[in-house]
Amino acid sequence: MTAAVMAEELGITPSRPVDSIWKTVARLVKLALADPDRGWRAILLSCSVFVLLLGEVAAAGRYSVVQKNLITALQAKDKALFHRGLRNVGRIILCISPIIALREYAAGVLGMNCRTSLTAYFARKYLMPQKPKSDSQAAPCPYYALTLTGEIDNPDQRICQDVGHLVTSGVSFAQDVVRTSLSILTFAPVLYSISPAACIGGIAYAVTGTVVSARSFGRLLGVYQLRSLQREAHLRYTLIRVREHAESIAFFEGGAAEFSKFHGGFRNLLEALYQSVLVATGYSMLNRTFHWATFAVIPMLVGPAYLDGRVEFGVISQATMAFNIILEALTLAMHRLESLSDLRVRLQRLAQLDDALSLPPVSPTTGAMAGTIPTDGVLLRFEAVTLRTPQHKDVRPKVLFEDLSFEVLEGQSLLISGASGIGKSSLLRAAAGLWGVAGSIQLQRSEVFFMPQKPYMFLGSLRDQLLYPQVDTSSASSTRLEEVLRAVNLEELIHVGLEEVKDWANILSLGQQQRINFARVLLQPSIRFALMDECTSACDPENELLLYQLLQQHLRGYVSVGHRPSLQQFHTHALWLRRSTPTTTTEIDFLIMQEFQEKMIDKFIDCIDKLNYGILWPEPRLS
């Protein structure tokens, strides 16, 4: 069974072709060297490492000559020559030790420099929104697009762990390649001058071992390492979800179910690891057998010349050292096949992430949104909009709305109402530019604030929570922040301290977090319109009234999604979404609030009539 077939059966994407791998290496190296802040430093450190490797190999070449003379002196029982040899060995050690130390230091700093550049590159592409074509369009968010499509798993692991491991292994392997190349150039002439047969035979032996090991185990190691890496990431994500939803799990007493899920994932990981062990066992057996067999090569090739008196005994030691260095150089890929396979896997994962983040900013749903800035007092306008669910690898897209048109003017407020799951929140996502549409949505996006049911709590101080997302750019004073906290009925947080850093997502209740979100709107004077998705669902009626009154004073208009009848008093219009059956097209009515309330009363009376009919005059049943 070939590695490609096995990878397909395991559900694993095959490794990228060799030429693509080398292109990926070249692209990443170019990124590290092209960094305007650290590129020159990386080039300087690379040159330093190369020069130090030259010195290290030159010292090793000199050491082989000193070792030959030392062994010859022992065989000849020449004390003076022997002591001179010991002094020469000491001098070489004193010379090579600082060279090795400096080379290790320079290589370590080079790795840190390259990791900084690559991590910054991927993190910026992943987190920073791309520049929109116009002010009316939302800036495409790569992290959100990857979440919607589900094509790239664990981008956080790729950015944090894969980059670090790739740089560490890559710098180490690059040093080995340079060192072995210099060693071959240094010791091949030495070995050839001693024994041409030993030189040619050693090269043939090394090449044969490398080809056999690579053909037999190379791709299999990569396949199973990729599988293990993916399953480890999924297992870690299982525990991350437990941490994020600890309270809900505790309420349900769901620890046993979570353990069962974790145990199943861990069992799958062990299966992949066991298969890796089987492959690694065969590879190690071949590798060690090949290594032990080399001990007999030099005695067989050079021993007869010594026995015939044609060479000194020290020549055997020198030839052995040269042969071993050349053999180690030529079998570098063979000995490091497992780590090279892991390096290839991480290159593949980073290449996939870079390709996904380098795609042109396209809408995550079928169709295109022609966004323009509204005029004539219009805050939001939908024109002939067709909305579909996003493309996802596991879910087939479906049409939510067709030919939807309405507008919200200054001074108006819109309540979107309808059954759960009908697509109310999806309309807000489309308006915010997170989902693309066919048709036109007109909105001044730079003046819009989105308020979800569960606000995002930034990792930082209380001040950071209030100023998010303008944490570094806002000039609001502490006095202003305290005024806003009092305005949204969160005066108790003032005593905690604006600079206090806590896990606010777990400390604050959902109702308090929702009031923090309202405080954010009040602290951004440029905001004049809000999109709200059940943003007061955890607030009591008094706080809900207070918050909406603050919005009406601060904003020119807003759109809310909600179910509670109490929300009707805060809105001038309603968008009523309804569907008679799950397969029928959604019916949409844009109504002034009074008309909507009358329809709700009629619907309520109709439900009561149906309920009374079922109770007072039940349908006859056959006995």
Side-chain angles (χ1 to χ4, degrees):
M1 180 183 298
T2 65
V5 174
M6 184 172 294
E8 184 176 355
E9 292 183 357
L10 296 174
I12 298 173
T13 304
S15 299
R16 295 165 65 88
V18 174
D19 57 342
S20 296
I21 289 293
W22 285 114
K23 287 180 181 178
T24 302
V25 172
R27 179 168 53 178
L28 295 180
V29 171
K30 182 180 179 180
L31 287 172
L33 298 181
D35 189 325
D37 297 327
R38 304 176 187 86
W40 64 270
R41 191 180 306 164
I43 295 174
L44 182 61
L45 288 168
S46 300
C47 294
S48 300
V49 171
F50 179 76
V51 171
L52 291 169
L53 282 172
L54 277 175
E56 189 176 332
V57 173
R62 177 59 184 165
Y63 182 79
S64 70
V65 177
V66 171
Q67 185 189 43
K68 178 195 75 171
N69 295 332
L70 184 65
I71 298 299
T72 300
L74 280 174
Q75 190 261 342
K77 298 181 180 181
D78 187 337
K79 291 184 179 182
L81 186 61
F82 174 72
H83 289 109
R84 189 185 312 143
L86 288 178
R87 288 193 296 271
N88 289 334
V89 169
R91 293 190 187 100
I92 292 176
I93 292 176
L94 290 176
C95 179
I96 200 173
S97 295
I99 293 177
I100 293 175
L102 288 174
R103 192 257 308 160
E104 288 289 343
Y105 175 78
V109 176
L110 174 62
M112 293 175 58
N113 193 84
C114 293
R115 180 174 182 178
T116 302
S117 299
L118 293 178
T119 300
Y121 168 78
F122 281 105
R124 187 180 298 110
K125 291 190 69 174
Y126 178 64
L127 295 174
M128 295 294 290
Q130 302 178 29
K131 187 176 180 180
K133 294 181 179 179
S134 68
D135 190 51
S136 65
Q137 294 183 344
C141 302
Y143 53 87
Y144 184 73
L146 292 185
T147 302
L148 282 182
T149 59
E151 295 178 358
I152 299 295
D153 63 283
N154 304 294
D156 53 327
Q157 183 191 38
R158 299 178 190 229
I159 294 174
C160 294
Q161 293 185 3
D162 287 357
V163 168
H165 191 280
L166 176 68
V167 169
T168 302
S169 301
V171 170
S172 175
F173 184 70
Q175 290 184 84
D176 289 341
V177 170
V178 173
R179 183 189 295 109
T180 54
S181 301
L182 295 175
S183 298
I184 292 173
L185 294 176
T186 301
F187 288 98
V190 175
L191 183 60
Y192 189 84
S193 65
I194 296 172
S195 173
C199 184
I200 297 173
I203 293 175
Y205 184 74
V207 171
T208 301
T210 300
V211 171
V212 170
S213 62
R215 298 278 295 182
S216 302
F217 299 101
R219 296 187 64 85
L220 287 179
L221 286 170
V223 166
Y224 287 118
Q225 283 173 340
L226 176 58
R227 187 181 188 189
S228 300
L229 201 62
Q230 291 174 333
R231 294 194 175 184
E232 283 183 355
H234 294 158
L235 190 67
R236 187 178 64 255
Y237 180 65
T238 301
L239 294 180
I240 291 175
R241 283 182 54 84
V242 172
R243 183 185 66 190
E244 293 178 345
H245 304 280
E247 184 177 74
S248 299
I249 295 172
F251 273 124
F252 283 107
E253 296 183 355
E258 297 298 331
F259 176 76
S260 177
K261 180 71 173 178
F262 174 83
H263 184 66
F266 187 65
R267 194 166 54 241
N268 291 336
L269 173 60
L270 288 178
E271 178 187 348
L273 292 176
Y274 178 72
Q275 292 167 338
S276 297
V277 168
L278 293 179
V279 177
T281 299
Y283 163 68
S284 298
M285 180 184 68
L286 174 64
N287 197 6
R288 298 306 298 175
T289 302
F290 179 87
H291 174 72
W292 284 104
T294 60
F295 290 125
V297 175
I298 287 297
M300 285 191 304
L301 296 176
V302 185
Y306 171 72
L307 294 175
D308 293 340
R310 287 178 286 142
V311 297
E312 300 174 338
F313 184 73
V315 173
I316 297 180
S317 176
Q318 185 184 24
T320 301
M321 180 179 178
F323 176 81
N324 288 334
I325 290 176
I326 294 173
L327 186 67
E328 182 181 358
L330 292 175
T331 57
L332 174 65
M334 177 181 177
H335 293 316
R336 300 195 58 175
L337 188 61
E338 194 168 359
S339 61
L340 285 176
S341 298
D342 182 70
L343 198 64
R344 183 186 181 93
V345 167
R346 295 181 190 271
L347 273 171
Q348 174 189 348
R349 285 165 57 83
L350 288 176
Q352 291 171 346
L353 178 62
D354 192 34
D355 290 343
L357 295 176
S358 300
L359 293 175
V362 296
S363 170
T365 45
T366 305
M369 182 176 68
T372 57
I373 299 176
T375 57
D376 301 328
V378 177
L379 296 175
L380 173 65
R381 177 181 287 135
F382 276 56
E383 287 186 356
V385 168
T386 296
L387 176 62
R388 297 176 176 85
T389 56
Q391 295 278 357
H392 193 280
K393 63 176 183 177
D394 298 324
V395 181
R396 178 178 298 177
K398 67 176 181 178
V399 177
L400 298 177
F401 306 104
E402 289 185 304
D403 198 29
L404 172 61
S405 299
F406 68 89
E407 63 182 18
V408 179
L409 306 178
E410 288 193 17
Q412 294 182 347
S413 50
L414 177 66
L415 175 64
I416 302 178
S417 180
S420 178
I422 201 170
K424 303 184 298 297
S425 299
S426 300
L427 281 178
L428 296 189
R429 297 187 186 103
L434 298 181
W435 288 14
V437 299
S440 174
I441 298 179
Q442 300 176 20
L443 181 67
Q444 182 73 22
R445 303 191 185 281
S446 61
E447 300 178 352
V448 177
F449 196 84
F450 179 66
M451 305 173 69
Q453 183 178 15
K454 182 172 176 57
Y456 171 68
M457 292 289 104
F458 185 68
L459 294 176
S461 64
L462 179 58
R463 179 188 299 273
D464 295 335
Q465 303 307 318
L466 295 171
L467 298 179
Y468 186 81
Q470 299 178 351
V471 176
D472 299 322
T473 58
S474 177
S475 59
S477 65
S478 299
T479 302
R480 175 58 179 159
L481 297 182
E482 293 176 359
E483 289 177 357
V484 171
L485 284 174
R486 292 188 182 95
V488 297
N489 203 15
L490 286 174
E491 187 173 359
E492 68 273 11
L493 295 183
I494 297 177
H495 305 291
V496 176
L498 294 174
E499 308 303 329
E500 193 71 19
V501 177
K502 295 182 180 296
D503 186 6
W504 299 105
N506 291 321
I507 291 176
L508 301 179
S509 68
L510 181 57
Q512 289 175 314
Q513 294 179 36
Q514 291 179 344
R515 280 178 276 165
I516 288 285
N517 218 22
F518 276 83
R520 292 169 176 170
V521 177
L522 302 180
L523 288 167
Q524 299 189 35
S526 63
I527 298 300
R528 66 170 189 163
F529 191 69
L531 302 172
M532 306 186 292
D533 188 2
E534 301 192 60
C535 60
T536 58
S537 59
C539 295
D540 56 85
E542 291 78 11
N543 275 315
E544 184 177 66
L545 174 62
L546 170 67
L547 296 174
Y548 269 98
Q549 287 175 343
L550 289 172
L551 278 190
Q552 291 169 350
Q553 298 169 11
H554 186 75
L555 302 180
R556 299 183 184 181
Y558 51 84
V559 175
S560 300
V561 167
H563 296 280
R564 296 195 292 187
S566 60
L567 295 176
Q568 297 174 11
Q569 62 181 311
F570 308 122
H571 298 81
T572 62
H573 293 74
L575 190 69
W576 187 20
L577 313 178
R578 62 192 186 280
R579 191 183 297 139
S580 55
T581 65
T583 57
T584 58
T585 305
T586 302
E587 300 178 21
I588 304 172
D589 287 328
F590 184 81
L591 308 166
I592 62 173
M593 185 52 66
Q594 183 178 356
E595 294 176 347
F596 175 70
Q597 290 172 333
E598 291 174 354
K599 288 182 176 291
M600 290 295 99
I601 292 174
D602 293 340
K603 182 179 179 182
F604 178 74
I605 293 175
D606 184 54
C607 291
I608 292 297
D609 290 341
K610 290 180 179 179
L611 179 62
N612 290 336
Y613 179 83
I615 295 175
L616 300 178
W617 297 281
E619 295 182 2
R621 298 181 180 178
L622 297 177
S623 58

